[in-house]
């Protein structure tokens, strides 16, 4: 199943500029380095790169070095990968 959305901010620039149409495929399995749409309990969405370390812990990362969340952060417990 595929779905589309648009990039709503500049957090993933320069690879995904604000306004970019993102076409995503729903999947059960993600691998480290995948770009994923995440959904929080309060219906907040974010598009981030997911990094998985050697003990299977997931982190999220934006690409824009000017963004406060540029460093890899642990995947919040109230967010899940769509």
């Amino acid at each position: 199943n595929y779905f589309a959305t648009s990039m709503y901010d500049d957090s993933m620039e320069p690879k995904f500029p604000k306004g970019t149409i993102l076409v995503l495929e729903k999947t059960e399995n993600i691998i480290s380095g995948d770009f994923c749409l995440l959904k929080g309990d309060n219906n907040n969405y974010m598009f981030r790169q997911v990094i998985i370390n050697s003990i299977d812990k997931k982190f999220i990362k934006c690409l824009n070095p000017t963004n406060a969340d540029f460093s890899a952060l642990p995947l919040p417990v109230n967010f899940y990968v769509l």
Side-chain angles (χ1 to χ4, degrees):
N1 292 336
Y2 291 90
F3 61 98
T5 188
S6 61
M7 192 65 213
Y8 60 89
D9 65 14
D10 66 354
S11 64
M12 297 298 284
E13 288 185 354
K15 188 170 185 89
F16 303 99
K18 184 177 181 177
T20 298
I21 302 298
L22 305 168
V23 178
L24 304 158
E25 180 181 15
K26 272 192 148 183
T27 181
E28 300 272 328
N29 302 313
I30 58 170
I31 58 173
S32 189
D34 280 353
F35 294 97
C36 301
L37 186 64
L38 308 167
K39 181 182 180 188
D41 290 342
N42 54 1
N43 286 330
N44 283 345
Y45 293 87
M46 70 173 111
F47 181 69
R48 295 287 186 267
Q49 185 175 33
V50 176
I51 309 296
I52 304 170
N53 70 11
S54 60
I55 57 171
D56 221 25
K57 184 166 179 159
K58 293 178 179 74
F59 296 84
I60 57 173
K61 186 174 191 307
C62 68
L63 301 180
N64 189 338
T66 64
N67 191 295
D69 294 333
F70 180 64
S71 301
L73 302 171
L75 178 65
V77 294
N78 63 331
F79 275 84
Y80 61 94
V81 177
L82 291 179

